[in-house]
Amino acid sequence: MEFAELSVGDQKLKLAVVTGSEQERAIDIRELRAKAGLITLDSGYGNTGACQSSITYIDGEKGILNYRGYSIEDLANHATFVETSYLLIYGHLPTAAELADFRTLLIRNSLLHEDMLHFYDGYPSTAHPMAILSSMICSLSSYYPDSLDPGDPAQVERLIPRVLSKIRTIAAFAYKKSIGQPVIYPDNSLDYCSNFLNMMFAVPSEKYIIDPDVVKAVNTLLILHADHEQNCSTSTVRLVGSSDANLFASIAAGICALWGPKHGGANQKVVEMLQKIDDEGLDIKEVVRMAKDKNSSFRLMGFGHRVYRNYDPRARVIKEVSDKLLAKLNRSDPLLDIAKELEEHALSDDYFIERKLYPNVDFYSGITYRAIGIPLDMFTVMFAIGRIPGWIAHWKEMHLDGDGRIGRPRQVYTGARKRSFTAIEQR
Ligand code: CMC
């Protein structure tokens, strides 16, 4: 076993070095406070490993992303989203029989309790679907009170297909309600992605023809979003879950974390940014200059990543999907041309080169969603649907393999030292 030595004053401490299966190394500081009275300070957790996990591997320098050892490119080319979900949650690619059983469970769980439909009437038509999604997912816990114990594997197994299947229905119903159309119930003769597209775009008055290329594109997008190890939303799911909150509540919290524009909300912001450039005829060089200006809060949305110091491998796959889909649909999109021009300028600019800022997954995903007809405020919802298997896998892993301790970071207090209370008349 390898050790690291830490000396503070005349104190010397031997700390074990833990090595992962891809030779990543970490110093185990679990005994640091007990032995030395010290904690570590790492705002943004950029150097902190919160757990050991066997779900997803990322090499940010080389631009590698693998789920359970399988490359994202292989999965995007050969697997469906449902197969990938099974892989993430259960650790292996399903056999034909396992996949058929899993599909049956998803089919059986596609409907919402009818009472939940009334919830939608309480939201204004302008409500952001992420607000609806998080509260509806949390509300599911009130319909399954007998399956909420995280410590009972049988109960957890019952909840997995429920959340994975119902999120599609909740999302599509939210969209239908926002545009004043009747909801379209799930059609269990359809596969996972076709069923979602049908609920989104079919109307009772005419037949909706599902384009297999669009289904393929949705499958790919959901696979690419399915997990990304300890990002903000997944860490949130783990942290909330560590208090033994139920799966629905933990995932609802993850949805809220994902909503932010620095995380999953970036896909909406990217298209808003490209639209603004187009509408106002902004010069690309000026946009890049603004993104570099430290006096401006403007950032190039869809650029940069905490982990990737290289092209985000998901962005590469999405760019290809987007090109193919637009060609097949015989459609051009001025925003795609702007995106490509912006990428070219940024990638040859010293500011972006020095900081290793490359396009991330969100840079091209919005263009693809637009081509499919997904409305702007549903982009982050699509990210959330895709991320469900990852959140489930992490929540489950934490309960099965973790040490059962509640997540609870420390802090370095910098406030006032002890003072005496001053009565209001003397203040
Ligand atoms: N535009 C301009 N400058 C940037 C950008 C950007 N998009 N991203 C980072 N920088 C600069 C930043 O100002 C800093 O410069 P300096 O060293 O001079 O202070 C340097 O690059 C390092 O940035 P950071 O903020 O320390 O990096 P971070 O790891 O804390 O943040 C990030 C990562 C994704 C939040 C950030 O890059 C960002 O805000 N990007 C735009 C939003 C976005 O596209 N988010 C989607 C992320 S991918 C999907 C997901 O997983 O959620």
Side-chain angles (χ1 to χ4, degrees), residues 110-129:
S110 61
L111 280 170
L112 299 184
H113 191 294
E114 278 294 303
D115 289 353
M116 286 189 84
L117 261 74
H118 301 299
F119 294 3
Y120 290 99
D121 299 332
Y123 291 99
S125 60
T126 50
H128 197 287

Side-chain angles (χ1 to χ4, degrees), residues 4-310:
E5 251 182 29
L6 177 73
S7 41
V8 184
D10 23 337
Q11 241 183 347
K12 271 205 180 1
L13 218 70
K14 237 173 123 183
L15 299 163
V17 173
V18 179
T19 307
S21 51
E22 292 281 356
Q23 305 312 309
E24 282 181 309
R25 291 149 87 226
I27 300 171
D28 185 341
I29 57 149
R30 274 176 287 190
E31 293 188 337
L32 186 62
R33 190 168 177 279
K35 285 193 173 161
L38 288 167
I39 60 163
T40 55
L41 185 59
D42 183 22
S43 70
Y45 306 119
N47 302 283
T48 298
C51 60
Q52 297 192 47
S53 175
S54 59
I55 301 169
T56 287
Y57 172 68
I58 303 176
D59 183 328
E61 272 69 34
K62 294 192 184 130
I64 293 173
L65 170 60
N66 297 339
Y67 299 159
R68 302 281 191 187
Y70 298 97
S71 81
I72 194 74
E73 291 82 5
D74 258 2
L75 291 166
N77 280 328
H78 305 297
T80 63
F81 174 63
V82 171
E83 231 175 329
T84 306
S85 300
Y86 187 99
L87 169 72
L88 283 166
I89 298 168
Y90 296 106
H92 63 274
L93 283 170
T95 62
E98 285 168 335
L99 187 58
D101 288 348
F102 194 48
R103 282 202 172 118
T104 306
L105 286 173
L106 294 178
I107 284 170
R108 295 233 173 95
N109 284 288
S110 61
L111 280 170
L112 299 184
H113 191 294
E114 278 294 303
D115 289 353
M116 286 189 84
L117 261 74
H118 301 299
F119 294 3
Y120 290 99
D121 299 332
Y123 291 99
S125 60
T126 50
H128 197 287
M130 284 297 275
I132 300 178
L133 194 69
S134 60
S135 41
M136 295 286 269
I137 290 286
C138 197
S139 303
L140 284 173
S141 47
S142 50
Y143 290 88
Y144 303 102
D146 59 342
S147 310
L148 302 179
D149 179 0
D152 179 346
Q155 294 192 28
V156 172
E157 280 309 304
R158 285 204 291 273
L159 288 194
I160 290 172
R162 281 181 184 146
V163 66
L164 194 54
S165 189
K166 289 180 199 303
I167 189 164
R168 276 175 313 179
T169 316
I170 291 174
F173 283 13
Y175 172 57
K176 286 296 194 192
K177 285 282 182 182
S178 74
I179 55 168
Q181 283 186 4
V183 300
I184 301 292
Y185 282 90
D187 173 347
N188 287 342
S189 67
L190 298 172
D191 64 73
Y192 188 93
C193 292
S194 305
N195 208 345
F196 172 67
L197 287 167
N198 193 58
M199 285 191 275
M200 283 286 291
F201 300 120
V203 283
S205 42
E206 76 185 47
K207 197 162 166 49
Y208 170 67
I209 306 199
I210 302 168
D211 182 335
D213 288 312
V214 171
V215 176
K216 171 91 186 82
V218 172
N219 253 301
T220 308
L221 283 157
L222 297 184
I223 290 170
L224 295 176
H225 282 110
D227 192 41
H228 213 237
E229 50 117 306
Q230 310 307 320
N231 53 81
C232 177
S233 56
T234 304
S235 300
T236 301
V237 170
R238 277 186 176 258
L239 194 61
V240 173
S242 76
S243 74
D244 282 350
N246 70 68
L247 181 61
F248 293 128
S250 308
I251 286 183
I255 292 172
C256 292
L258 186 75
W259 192 2
K262 286 185 180 171
H263 192 10
N267 56 15
Q268 177 173 343
K269 294 289 169 201
V270 169
V271 169
E272 284 171 0
M273 174 186 77
L274 297 174
Q275 192 71 63
K276 187 174 157 71
I277 295 173
D278 194 32
D279 290 348
E280 297 177 16
L282 298 178
D283 180 21
I284 297 292
K285 285 195 193 118
E286 176 57 17
V287 175
V288 172
R289 193 200 59 71
M290 265 161 53
K292 299 189 293 184
D293 182 358
K294 291 290 166 203
N295 296 318
S296 139
S297 60
F298 174 73
R299 282 190 164 193
L300 215 53
M301 298 314 286
F303 257 77
H305 198 277
R306 171 60 61 81
V307 180
Y308 293 117
R309 299 296 175 214
N310 202 326

